mmCIF file of all heavy atoms in Angstrom:
data_model
loop_
_atom_site.group_PDB
_atom_site.id
_atom_site.type_symbol
_atom_site.label_atom_id
_atom_site.label_comp_id
_atom_site.label_asym_id
_atom_site.label_seq_id
_atom_site.Cartn_x
_atom_site.Cartn_y
_atom_site.Cartn_z
ATOM 1 N N GLY A 42 121.417 143.898 191.922
ATOM 2 C CA GLY A 42 121.489 145.095 191.099
ATOM 3 C C GLY A 42 120.202 145.889 191.078
ATOM 4 O O GLY A 42 119.985 146.680 190.191
ATOM 5 N N GLY A 43 119.343 145.692 192.050
ATOM 6 C CA GLY A 43 118.057 146.383 192.022
ATOM 7 C C GLY A 43 117.757 147.104 193.315
ATOM 8 O O GLY A 43 118.657 147.580 194.000
ATOM 9 N N HIS A 44 116.495 147.168 193.649
ATOM 10 C CA HIS A 44 116.029 147.848 194.848
ATOM 11 C C HIS A 44 115.889 146.855 195.997
ATOM 12 O O HIS A 44 115.650 145.673 195.773
ATOM 13 C CB HIS A 44 114.664 148.494 194.590
ATOM 14 C CG HIS A 44 114.674 149.449 193.442
ATOM 15 N ND1 HIS A 44 113.623 149.545 192.569
ATOM 16 C CD2 HIS A 44 115.594 150.346 193.026
ATOM 17 C CE1 HIS A 44 113.888 150.474 191.660
ATOM 18 N NE2 HIS A 44 115.082 150.968 191.910
ATOM 19 N N PHE A 45 115.993 147.355 197.221
ATOM 20 C CA PHE A 45 115.782 146.523 198.401
ATOM 21 C C PHE A 45 114.285 146.370 198.640
ATOM 22 O O PHE A 45 113.632 147.307 199.087
ATOM 23 C CB PHE A 45 116.424 147.156 199.641
ATOM 24 C CG PHE A 45 117.917 147.157 199.619
ATOM 25 C CD1 PHE A 45 118.621 148.312 199.351
ATOM 26 C CD2 PHE A 45 118.618 145.987 199.867
ATOM 27 C CE1 PHE A 45 120.010 148.310 199.339
ATOM 28 C CE2 PHE A 45 120.005 145.972 199.850
ATOM 29 C CZ PHE A 45 120.701 147.135 199.586
ATOM 30 N N VAL A 46 113.739 145.217 198.324
ATOM 31 C CA VAL A 46 112.318 144.941 198.527
ATOM 32 C C VAL A 46 112.204 143.702 199.398
ATOM 33 O O VAL A 46 112.825 142.679 199.127
ATOM 34 C CB VAL A 46 111.592 144.716 197.179
ATOM 35 C CG1 VAL A 46 110.146 144.336 197.404
ATOM 36 C CG2 VAL A 46 111.698 145.954 196.311
ATOM 37 N N GLN A 47 111.421 143.806 200.460
ATOM 38 C CA GLN A 47 111.269 142.683 201.379
ATOM 39 C C GLN A 47 109.993 141.883 201.135
ATOM 40 O O GLN A 47 109.906 140.741 201.516
ATOM 41 C CB GLN A 47 111.256 143.190 202.822
ATOM 42 C CG GLN A 47 112.549 143.840 203.232
ATOM 43 C CD GLN A 47 112.456 144.387 204.638
ATOM 44 O OE1 GLN A 47 111.578 145.179 204.945
ATOM 45 N NE2 GLN A 47 113.340 143.934 205.486
ATOM 46 N N GLY A 48 108.990 142.516 200.570
ATOM 47 C CA GLY A 48 107.705 141.847 200.418
ATOM 48 C C GLY A 48 106.798 142.079 201.617
ATOM 49 O O GLY A 48 105.765 141.435 201.758
ATOM 50 N N HIS A 49 107.172 143.010 202.477
ATOM 51 C CA HIS A 49 106.350 143.368 203.638
ATOM 52 C C HIS A 49 105.556 144.623 203.280
ATOM 53 O O HIS A 49 106.100 145.718 203.209
ATOM 54 C CB HIS A 49 107.216 143.620 204.874
ATOM 55 C CG HIS A 49 108.038 142.438 205.259
ATOM 56 N ND1 HIS A 49 107.474 141.249 205.661
ATOM 57 C CD2 HIS A 49 109.369 142.253 205.290
ATOM 58 C CE1 HIS A 49 108.427 140.383 205.940
ATOM 59 N NE2 HIS A 49 109.593 140.962 205.709
ATOM 60 N N ILE A 50 104.278 144.460 203.045
ATOM 61 C CA ILE A 50 103.424 145.549 202.575
ATOM 62 C C ILE A 50 103.217 146.569 203.690
ATOM 63 O O ILE A 50 102.909 146.212 204.823
ATOM 64 C CB ILE A 50 102.060 144.996 202.103
ATOM 65 C CG1 ILE A 50 102.250 143.922 201.031
ATOM 66 C CG2 ILE A 50 101.151 146.118 201.614
ATOM 67 C CD1 ILE A 50 103.053 144.334 199.841
ATOM 68 N N ASP A 51 103.368 147.858 203.339
ATOM 69 C CA ASP A 51 103.137 148.934 204.303
ATOM 70 C C ASP A 51 101.682 149.381 204.312
ATOM 71 O O ASP A 51 101.134 149.717 205.351
ATOM 72 C CB ASP A 51 104.033 150.138 203.982
ATOM 73 C CG ASP A 51 105.492 149.826 204.227
ATOM 74 O OD1 ASP A 51 105.839 149.504 205.375
ATOM 75 O OD2 ASP A 51 106.289 149.887 203.273
ATOM 76 N N SER A 52 101.064 149.425 203.142
ATOM 77 C CA SER A 52 99.691 149.908 203.028
ATOM 78 C C SER A 52 99.214 149.643 201.599
ATOM 79 O O SER A 52 99.848 148.896 200.857
ATOM 80 C CB SER A 52 99.631 151.410 203.344
ATOM 81 O OG SER A 52 98.293 151.878 203.392
ATOM 82 N N THR A 53 98.144 150.320 201.244
ATOM 83 C CA THR A 53 97.629 150.237 199.877
ATOM 84 C C THR A 53 97.558 151.643 199.282
ATOM 85 O O THR A 53 97.634 152.639 199.999
ATOM 86 C CB THR A 53 96.232 149.582 199.818
ATOM 87 O OG1 THR A 53 95.344 150.288 200.683
ATOM 88 C CG2 THR A 53 96.296 148.125 200.231
ATOM 89 N N ALA A 54 97.411 151.693 197.969
ATOM 90 C CA ALA A 54 97.228 152.955 197.257
ATOM 91 C C ALA A 54 96.132 152.749 196.221
ATOM 92 O O ALA A 54 95.905 151.626 195.752
ATOM 93 C CB ALA A 54 98.525 153.390 196.581
ATOM 94 N N ASN A 55 95.466 153.824 195.897
ATOM 95 C CA ASN A 55 94.383 153.810 194.929
ATOM 96 C C ASN A 55 94.896 154.379 193.599
ATOM 97 O O ASN A 55 95.510 155.443 193.578
ATOM 98 C CB ASN A 55 93.229 154.672 195.470
ATOM 99 C CG ASN A 55 92.009 154.618 194.605
ATOM 100 O OD1 ASN A 55 91.656 153.584 194.067
ATOM 101 N ND2 ASN A 55 91.344 155.754 194.476
ATOM 102 N N ILE A 56 94.657 153.675 192.518
ATOM 103 C CA ILE A 56 95.034 154.182 191.194
ATOM 104 C C ILE A 56 94.050 155.285 190.829
ATOM 105 O O ILE A 56 92.846 155.037 190.721
ATOM 106 C CB ILE A 56 95.016 153.073 190.123
ATOM 107 C CG1 ILE A 56 95.998 151.963 190.482
ATOM 108 C CG2 ILE A 56 95.336 153.666 188.744
ATOM 109 C CD1 ILE A 56 95.915 150.742 189.589
ATOM 110 N N ILE A 57 94.553 156.513 190.660
ATOM 111 C CA ILE A 57 93.660 157.630 190.351
ATOM 112 C C ILE A 57 93.775 158.117 188.907
ATOM 113 O O ILE A 57 92.928 158.880 188.447
ATOM 114 C CB ILE A 57 93.843 158.812 191.341
ATOM 115 C CG1 ILE A 57 95.276 159.319 191.355
ATOM 116 C CG2 ILE A 57 93.399 158.405 192.736
ATOM 117 C CD1 ILE A 57 95.491 160.558 192.237
ATOM 118 N N GLU A 58 94.799 157.648 188.196
ATOM 119 C CA GLU A 58 94.928 158.019 186.789
ATOM 120 C C GLU A 58 95.850 157.038 186.078
ATOM 121 O O GLU A 58 96.850 156.601 186.637
ATOM 122 C CB GLU A 58 95.514 159.437 186.675
ATOM 123 C CG GLU A 58 95.602 159.987 185.280
ATOM 124 C CD GLU A 58 96.137 161.418 185.283
ATOM 125 O OE1 GLU A 58 95.516 162.293 185.909
ATOM 126 O OE2 GLU A 58 97.197 161.625 184.651
ATOM 127 N N ILE A 59 95.484 156.698 184.851
ATOM 128 C CA ILE A 59 96.329 155.884 183.976
ATOM 129 C C ILE A 59 96.414 156.620 182.651
ATOM 130 O O ILE A 59 95.377 156.950 182.057
ATOM 131 C CB ILE A 59 95.744 154.467 183.764
ATOM 132 C CG1 ILE A 59 95.605 153.730 185.100
ATOM 133 C CG2 ILE A 59 96.600 153.679 182.781
ATOM 134 C CD1 ILE A 59 94.860 152.398 185.004
ATOM 135 N N LYS A 60 97.648 156.902 182.202
ATOM 136 C CA LYS A 60 97.816 157.696 180.990
ATOM 137 C C LYS A 60 98.891 157.079 180.102
ATOM 138 O O LYS A 60 100.075 157.120 180.436
ATOM 139 C CB LYS A 60 98.193 159.127 181.376
ATOM 140 C CG LYS A 60 98.265 160.093 180.210
ATOM 141 C CD LYS A 60 98.427 161.530 180.667
ATOM 142 C CE LYS A 60 99.777 161.726 181.320
ATOM 143 N NZ LYS A 60 100.091 163.116 181.648
ATOM 144 N N PRO A 61 98.487 156.495 178.957
ATOM 145 C CA PRO A 61 99.480 155.970 178.015
ATOM 146 C C PRO A 61 100.296 157.107 177.387
ATOM 147 O O PRO A 61 99.781 158.203 177.162
ATOM 148 C CB PRO A 61 98.639 155.281 176.938
ATOM 149 C CG PRO A 61 97.295 155.094 177.557
ATOM 150 C CD PRO A 61 97.121 156.215 178.531
ATOM 151 N N GLU A 62 101.572 156.831 177.128
ATOM 152 C CA GLU A 62 102.442 157.779 176.418
ATOM 153 C C GLU A 62 103.391 156.950 175.557
ATOM 154 O O GLU A 62 104.276 156.269 176.087
ATOM 155 C CB GLU A 62 103.226 158.648 177.393
ATOM 156 C CG GLU A 62 104.112 159.655 176.694
ATOM 157 C CD GLU A 62 104.901 160.530 177.665
ATOM 158 O OE1 GLU A 62 104.892 160.282 178.874
ATOM 159 O OE2 GLU A 62 105.545 161.450 177.170
ATOM 160 N N ASP A 63 103.187 156.999 174.253
ATOM 161 C CA ASP A 63 103.937 156.163 173.320
ATOM 162 C C ASP A 63 103.791 154.699 173.761
ATOM 163 O O ASP A 63 102.683 154.230 173.942
ATOM 164 C CB ASP A 63 105.392 156.600 173.209
ATOM 165 C CG ASP A 63 105.531 158.022 172.648
ATOM 166 O OD1 ASP A 63 104.693 158.402 171.803
ATOM 167 O OD2 ASP A 63 106.451 158.735 173.064
ATOM 168 N N ASN A 64 104.895 153.985 173.980
ATOM 169 C CA ASN A 64 104.777 152.587 174.399
ATOM 170 C C ASN A 64 104.897 152.425 175.916
ATOM 171 O O ASN A 64 105.015 151.317 176.424
ATOM 172 C CB ASN A 64 105.816 151.718 173.676
ATOM 173 C CG ASN A 64 107.240 152.057 174.077
ATOM 174 O OD1 ASN A 64 107.495 153.045 174.754
ATOM 175 N ND2 ASN A 64 108.168 151.231 173.632
ATOM 176 N N SER A 65 104.841 153.540 176.636
ATOM 177 C CA SER A 65 104.885 153.517 178.105
ATOM 178 C C SER A 65 103.518 153.857 178.670
ATOM 179 O O SER A 65 102.646 154.351 177.955
ATOM 180 C CB SER A 65 105.902 154.542 178.614
ATOM 181 O OG SER A 65 107.184 154.250 178.116
ATOM 182 N N VAL A 66 103.347 153.599 179.968
ATOM 183 C CA VAL A 66 102.101 153.947 180.646
ATOM 184 C C VAL A 66 102.445 154.613 181.980
ATOM 185 O O VAL A 66 103.265 154.102 182.742
ATOM 186 C CB VAL A 66 101.213 152.703 180.919
ATOM 187 C CG1 VAL A 66 99.947 153.099 181.673
ATOM 188 C CG2 VAL A 66 100.858 151.997 179.626
ATOM 189 N N TRP A 67 101.820 155.773 182.228
ATOM 190 C CA TRP A 67 101.959 156.482 183.495
ATOM 191 C C TRP A 67 100.814 156.091 184.421
ATOM 192 O O TRP A 67 99.669 155.998 183.991
ATOM 193 C CB TRP A 67 101.901 157.993 183.272
ATOM 194 C CG TRP A 67 103.115 158.556 182.632
ATOM 195 C CD1 TRP A 67 103.399 158.596 181.297
ATOM 196 C CD2 TRP A 67 104.219 159.154 183.296
ATOM 197 N NE1 TRP A 67 104.614 159.191 181.087
ATOM 198 C CE2 TRP A 67 105.145 159.549 182.304
ATOM 199 C CE3 TRP A 67 104.521 159.401 184.631
ATOM 200 C CZ2 TRP A 67 106.345 160.178 182.614
ATOM 201 C CZ3 TRP A 67 105.715 160.028 184.933
ATOM 202 C CH2 TRP A 67 106.608 160.404 183.936
ATOM 203 N N TYR A 68 101.141 155.886 185.686
ATOM 204 C CA TYR A 68 100.136 155.625 186.719
ATOM 205 C C TYR A 68 100.287 156.679 187.805
ATOM 206 O O TYR A 68 101.400 156.970 188.247
ATOM 207 C CB TYR A 68 100.347 154.247 187.357
ATOM 208 C CG TYR A 68 100.061 153.094 186.444
ATOM 209 C CD1 TYR A 68 101.034 152.610 185.576
ATOM 210 C CD2 TYR A 68 98.807 152.481 186.442
ATOM 211 C CE1 TYR A 68 100.781 151.547 184.732
ATOM 212 C CE2 TYR A 68 98.544 151.408 185.598
ATOM 213 C CZ TYR A 68 99.533 150.951 184.745
ATOM 214 O OH TYR A 68 99.274 149.899 183.922
ATOM 215 N N LYS A 69 99.161 157.257 188.218
ATOM 216 C CA LYS A 69 99.141 158.163 189.366
ATOM 217 C C LYS A 69 98.393 157.429 190.477
ATOM 218 O O LYS A 69 97.284 156.928 190.261
ATOM 219 C CB LYS A 69 98.440 159.468 189.020
ATOM 220 C CG LYS A 69 98.444 160.488 190.171
ATOM 221 C CD LYS A 69 97.528 161.664 189.865
ATOM 222 C CE LYS A 69 98.306 162.845 189.401
ATOM 223 N NZ LYS A 69 97.415 164.045 189.241
#
Side-chain angles (χ1 to χ4, degrees):
H44 303 142
F45 291 104
V46 176
Q47 296 177 304
H49 301 297
I50 304 305
D51 292 300
S52 187
T53 55
N55 185 38
I56 300 172
I57 58 176
E58 184 177 301
I59 300 172
K60 186 171 67 173
E62 181 180 8
D63 297 327
N64 66 350
S65 300
V66 178
W67 287 84
Y68 291 85
K69 183 190 259 186

